[in-house]
Amino acid sequence: QSALTQPASVSGSPGQSITISCTGTSSDVGNYNYVSWYQQHPDKAPKLIIYDVSYRPSGVSNRFSGSKSGNTASLTISGLQAEDEADYYCNSYTSSSVVIFGGGTKLTVL
Amino acid sequence: QVQLVQSGAEVKKPGASVKVSCKASGYTFTRHYIHWVRQAPGQGLEWMGIMNPSGGSPNYAQKFQGRVRMTGDTSTTTVYMELSSLRSEDTAVYYCARENSSGWTRFDPWGQGTLVTVSS
């Protein structure tokens, strides 16, 4: 099972909005609403920020939002802040009853 | 609070095995599956498998079939991941994470990670 496809890097200025895409296939992202997003700061464990495509866990800022269209899920961060600079990963359930991750996206806040 | 605390760093020689522990607290241990994920230096996250602490057969990623074993001990609320026939490419930080849904993608929280270094 191949990894989900994410852009290697994205950047934005403070206050702007950015979107990170996560592209899979009809066997994973396109067939299930089981897509999550994780934020990982250097040398830290990942943190769940979006689950089931568009739900935010308690305590996660409403500046983070998720959506899906076809085989592509997206994470949008609005009102960029310096603390948002991190790596972001998506994952999805698959028809093979396994979980796959995206390759990760490095977000730089300019 | 819900917490997963992992065992300390390990250094192993090629061909050896490593067993990483993950102690759960703050919730009913048997009600949540546990995932194992690894991250090689400078690389992305790689899913290894999922297990039910109550028992039953774990589900392993094909890449690790035959080399990984995930087990649990309800008396100590601890899960274990054992990886055998280690090679240099297995050098990575290994994480456990609690599953929170039926969709197997709601990993929360994560353990702090355990660095496994494979070197001769």
Side-chain angles (χ1 to χ4, degrees), chain A residues 34-36 38 40 44-48 51-52 57 89 91-93 97-99 101-103, chain B residues 35 37 39 43-47 59-61 95 101-108 110-112:
Chain A
Y34 295 130
V35 176
S36 294
Y38 301 84
Q40 186 180 34
K44 298 291 186 184
K47 173 188 173 185
L48 178 70
Y51 67 93
D52 293 354
Y89 295 90
N91 73 354
S92 174
Y93 181 71
S97 297
V98 299
V99 174
F101 278 94
Chain B
H35 297 272
V37 177
Q39 186 171 35
Q43 302 300 309
L45 302 173
E46 182 174 32
W47 185 77
N59 193 323
Y60 302 136
Y95 294 102
S101 76
S102 59
W104 287 14
T105 57
R106 191 173 164 186
F107 296 26
D108 183 39
W110 295 59
Q112 82 277 18

Side-chain angles (χ1 to χ4, degrees), chain A residues 4 7 12-14 23 27 32 42 48 55 57 66 74 89-91 95-96 104 110:
Chain A
L4 304 173
S13 299
T23 301
S27 296
Y32 301 97
L48 178 70
Y55 292 86
S74 298
Y89 295 90
C90 60
N91 73 354
S95 58
S96 302
L110 302 171

Side-chain angles (χ1 to χ4, degrees), chain B residues 50-110:
Chain B
I50 185 172
M51 61 157 299
N52 181 349
S54 296
S57 297
N59 193 323
Y60 302 136
Q62 188 173 12
K63 176 177 180 177
F64 300 101
Q65 293 272 6
R67 229 173 34 106
V68 71
R69 184 166 177 253
M70 297 176 188
T71 56
D73 184 342
T74 55
S75 67
T76 60
T77 66
T78 302
V79 295
Y80 301 90
M81 187 284 299
E82 184 171 20
L83 188 62
S84 60
S85 301
L86 290 170
R87 33 208 188 233
S88 58
E89 310 90 87
D90 294 318
T91 293
V93 175
Y94 289 77
Y95 294 102
C96 59
R98 190 183 78 163
E99 175 53 56
N100 293 274
S101 76
S102 59
W104 287 14
T105 57
R106 191 173 164 186
F107 296 26
D108 183 39
W110 295 59

Side-chain angles (χ1 to χ4, degrees), chain A residues 2-55:
Chain A
S2 299
L4 304 173
T5 300
Q6 297 181 232
S9 63
V10 298
S11 62
S13 299
Q16 288 186 331
S17 294
I18 64 95
T19 296
I20 299 171
S21 61
C22 170
T23 301
T25 69
S26 58
S27 296
D28 39 69
V29 174
N31 199 36
Y32 301 97
N33 286 327
Y34 295 130
V35 176
S36 294
W37 289 90
Y38 301 84
Q39 177 190 61
Q40 186 180 34
H41 287 108
D43 298 321
K44 298 291 186 184
K47 173 188 173 185
L48 178 70
I49 55 173
I50 295 288
Y51 67 93
D52 293 354
V53 174
S54 61
Y55 292 86

